[in-house]
Amino acid sequence: MAIAMKPGLRAERVIVVEADDTAERMESGDVPVLGTPRLVELAEAATVQAIVAALADTETSVGTRVELDHRAASPVGMRVTIVAELVEVDGRRLAFAVSATDARGTVVGEGRVERVVVDRERFLSRLPS
């Protein structure tokens, strides 16, 4: 890693749940509330946002593990704030604590996301053709 990353890097994303974010639309359920796949996507996006400025131009990160408890339903129109904080750095492996809280202060979800920093070209060159 060109720039040493230390725990504490953090990012926040805020969304207002729309129809396209729901379990119905994502085919992960049949109710019009924030779908778990969308919550996972938002959590991962926040982890990327937290470290992007600390990566060298030749580096990127790839997700390797997601553990997320989806604890409460968020209906269409509800504002949800997703926070990711880098809590552990072990060489190229990065571990983040993630949480999502709605406008009422209810914890919607929480968990851990792990990523690995890789050289972009080297990573892409190893993909099967």
Side-chain angles (χ1 to χ4, degrees), residues 7 11-12 22 43 50 56 65 68 74 87 106 110 115 121 123 129:
E12 182 177 294
T22 65
R65 183 178 183 96
L68 186 71
S74 303
V87 294
T106 300
E110 58 188 352
R115 304 188 69 76
E121 280 190 34
F123 178 83
S129 42

Side-chain angles (χ1 to χ4, degrees):
M1 290 185 288
I3 300 172
M5 286 190 220
K6 295 183 181 175
L9 293 177
R10 177 182 158 107
E12 182 177 294
R13 298 181 71 92
V14 179
I15 70 155
V16 174
V17 178
E18 297 181 5
D20 286 343
D21 301 315
T22 65
E24 278 180 320
R25 289 280 172 87
M26 303 198 86
E27 298 182 2
S28 66
D30 62 1
V31 289
V33 298
L34 180 63
T36 302
R38 180 68 170 127
L39 183 56
V40 169
E41 178 185 1
L42 292 162
E44 279 213 291
T47 66
V48 171
Q49 183 180 337
I51 62 167
V52 69
L55 293 171
D57 290 343
T58 59
E59 294 175 324
T60 190
S61 68
V62 294
T64 58
R65 183 178 183 96
V66 176
E67 297 174 22
L68 186 71
D69 294 322
H70 195 165
R71 300 189 181 278
S74 303
V76 171
M78 178 65 72
R79 182 176 49 87
V80 177
T81 302
I82 300 92
V83 175
E85 182 174 348
L86 182 60
V87 294
E88 184 182 334
V89 178
D90 182 11
R92 297 180 307 118
R93 188 182 63 79
L94 310 173
F96 298 83
V98 294
S99 64
T101 307
D102 70 16
R104 302 167 300 187
T106 300
V107 175
V108 172
E110 58 188 352
R112 179 178 172 102
V113 174
E114 293 184 6
R115 304 188 69 76
V116 172
V117 176
V118 298
D119 177 274
R120 183 180 291 105
E121 280 190 34
R122 187 172 175 197
F123 178 83
L124 293 172
S125 73
R126 292 181 173 180
L127 295 177
S129 42

